[in-house]
Amino acid sequence: MKLIIANWKMNKLEAEIKEYFSAFKPRNCNSEIVFCPPFTYLYLLSQLTPYKLGAQNCFYEDSGAFTGEISPKMLKDLGVSYVIVGHSERRNLFKESNSVIKRKVLKVLEHDMIPIICFGESVRTVTRENRLKEIRAQVRGFKSLIKRSVLAYEPVWAIGSGISPTQDDVLEVTRYILEIEKPLALVYGGSVSENNCKEFAEVTDGLLVGGASLNPLNFQRICEKIEEIRAV
Ligand code: PEP
């Protein structure tokens, strides 16, 4: 069974979400599908869909004077199962460090949810050695937590760019991670489309899909194509 995660980022309003789920009807899909809408629509999705719920971020305390933040305890209360932590947009735009990300991961685990820890090199032209070095620096601190987490390999340069690595590149990174520790699942993310989804899902446990998950029919075709892998 593959894991397919839809990261909607800061997109969609209530009417669009209702329309989305009247169109999104994947056939023969045995994958675990996780939708990560903005916080404000998690409850709506919990009422509207049978799919697992994921949050795109969280804070690392349960409650208190942290204006504007959302705690893992609150997410658990909403029925959330997964929480994305350390997405490159959080690392870069909101300056989240590995130590902040680790505190979030610990809090998510404390509330019996599964962290989806994102990692990946920032530059496309980096050498193999430097790529693995950068990845090692990102995941090293999480070593003891990896086996309770989902890891998402997302080369930063591939996110939203329409450019993606080769299947061999992804395979090399998955092998490297497995040498460190085996996560609950290792997924690939970065410009996944219906044209390339199979090649990435063949060498991983699934996918993290951004842009292509915003259109229900595109995302449905991705979910359906993944099934063809097992049929082979
Ligand atoms: C993402 O949001 O993590 C992502 C991989 O986006 P995209 O699929 O659009 O590259």
Side-chain angles (χ1 to χ4, degrees):
M1 188 175 82
K2 300 285 180 186
L3 177 63
I4 311 178
I5 304 156
N7 177 13
W8 282 357
K9 311 191 186 191
M10 198 174 72
N11 290 295
K12 297 205 181 290
L13 298 174
E14 181 173 343
E16 295 169 303
I17 293 173
K18 288 182 172 159
E19 211 176 296
Y20 187 102
F21 286 106
S22 57
F24 181 75
K25 309 261 181 247
R27 280 155 301 202
N28 308 320
C29 180
N30 297 307
S31 298
E32 168 130 307
I33 302 178
V34 182
F35 279 95
C36 305
F39 287 130
T40 45
Y41 299 112
L42 282 165
Y43 181 72
L44 177 67
L45 261 74
S46 76
Q47 301 301 297
L48 212 59
T49 84
Y51 304 109
K52 288 275 196 279
L53 278 183
Q56 298 175 18
N57 181 33
C58 67
F59 194 56
Y60 49 71
E61 296 288 352
D62 283 338
S63 59
F66 303 104
T67 302
E69 293 297 331
I70 305 283
S71 74
K73 194 177 181 184
M74 293 165 176
L75 296 173
K76 181 72 181 177
D77 198 37
L78 268 177
V80 166
S81 306
Y82 293 85
V83 184
I84 299 175
V85 276
H87 191 282
S88 67
E89 287 151 20
R90 303 286 328 165
R91 291 180 193 262
N92 296 332
L93 297 172
F94 302 96
K95 308 291 170 237
E96 284 188 11
S97 63
N98 276 334
S99 65
V100 162
I101 295 164
K102 187 167 182 182
R103 290 180 75 178
K104 293 183 176 192
V105 170
L106 286 166
K107 215 24 142 182
V108 169
L109 289 168
E110 188 184 311
H111 289 287
D112 293 324
M113 295 177 290
I114 300 176
I116 301 167
I117 307 173
C118 301
F119 68 96
E121 78 278 8
S122 35
V123 182
R124 187 184 182 193
T125 49
V126 79
T127 61
R128 177 185 176 276
E129 285 68 33
N130 284 344
R131 180 173 54 191
L132 296 183
K133 198 169 150 202
E134 195 176 340
I135 289 173
R136 189 174 130 74
Q138 287 172 341
V139 299
R140 194 177 31 204
F142 300 99
K143 193 172 185 305
S144 61
L145 308 172
I146 289 178
K147 56 175 172 294
R148 297 161 67 201
S149 306
V150 169
L151 255 56
Y153 172 47
E154 299 210 297
V156 180
W157 52 268
I159 297 177
S161 66
I163 309 166
S164 46
T166 65
Q167 189 189 53
D168 281 348
D169 291 338
V170 176
L171 187 58
E172 183 179 71
V173 172
T174 60
R175 286 192 179 131
Y176 181 70
I177 294 296
L178 291 177
E179 276 170 23
I180 301 173
E181 184 60 82
K182 191 176 179 337
L184 288 179
L186 200 156
V187 301
Y188 168 78
S191 294
V192 170
S193 68
E194 54 187 287
N195 299 325
N196 64 19
C197 60
K198 267 168 71 177
E199 74 188 74
F200 295 124
E202 269 166 8
V203 293
T204 60
D205 300 309
L207 305 166
L208 199 166
V209 189
S213 72
L214 291 174
N215 177 298
L217 299 182
N218 283 351
F219 191 50
Q220 178 172 318
R221 281 192 289 270
I222 290 174
C223 296
E224 289 170 350
K225 280 207 163 175
I226 299 308
E227 294 304 312
E228 293 170 17
I229 296 173
R230 263 162 284 142
V232 173

